[in-house]
Amino acid sequence: MRRSRWTDLVRRPALAALYFLVLTPIGLCVRRIRDPLRRSWHASATTYWDHP
């Protein structure tokens, strides 16, 4: 089925708006709540090695 010219013009800007207006704020809020890489410094820790 052939797409209309309107969907070709709207698709990329709509996906960019979805990304920047929805997904980016969600990702920033999640990073403010917790650190996914656990980069915090613990002065009392003897090692940072995680056993698998």
Side-chain angles (χ1 to χ4, degrees):
M1 177 182 262
R2 188 173 185 278
R3 290 187 305 232
S4 69
R5 185 175 282 166
W6 183 81
T7 56
D8 288 338
L9 291 174
V10 173
R11 184 179 50 208
R12 271 207 184 152
L15 288 175
L18 175 74
Y19 180 81
F20 286 110
L21 296 176
V22 175
L23 295 178
T24 301
I26 290 172
L28 292 174
C29 290
V30 167
R31 283 187 176 194
R32 301 245 327 143
I33 294 171
R34 68 175 184 91
D35 185 14
L37 296 178
R38 294 181 290 167
R39 295 174 292 184
S40 61
W41 177 264
H42 299 290
S44 63
T46 57
T47 183
Y48 288 98
W49 180 264
D50 285 337
H51 296 286

